[in-house]
Amino acid sequence: KGVEASSAFLKETGADNLKLYVEPTSAVVNDLQALGLPATLLIDRQGREIPGVRLIGYQDKDSFLSILNAVLI
């Protein structure tokens, strides 16, 4: 589904102020040791991954927003 589906999901969930990063090779997946795709990582203002919030696979709107609210509040 690609970039269009990911962008639409962010807009649908009201998270379209988040930056969507897309990497066309598998280098980042390998470097991050992602266990599956899609993989969602939340990055803090200092450019560090927020520990314990790595999401693997599809997240429905309610689950995704619940996780975002727990981390961002």
Side-chain angles (χ1 to χ4, degrees), residues 7-21:
S7 296
F9 175 76
L10 290 176
K11 186 172 185 168
E12 173 190 327
T13 60
D16 53 336
N17 61 327
L18 298 175
K19 177 80 172 143
L20 175 64
Y21 293 94

Side-chain angles (χ1 to χ4, degrees), residues 29-66:
V29 172
N30 292 332
D31 290 348
L32 295 174
Q33 300 175 350
L35 300 175
L37 294 175
T40 303
L41 290 79
L42 299 180
I43 309 298
D44 68 17
R45 293 176 192 251
Q46 289 73 40
R48 299 176 302 221
E49 179 180 356
I50 298 172
V53 194
R54 187 177 287 202
L55 307 174
I56 305 298
Y58 173 78
Q59 306 293 316
D60 64 47
K61 177 182 177 179
D62 292 334
S63 296
F64 186 70
L65 289 176
S66 175

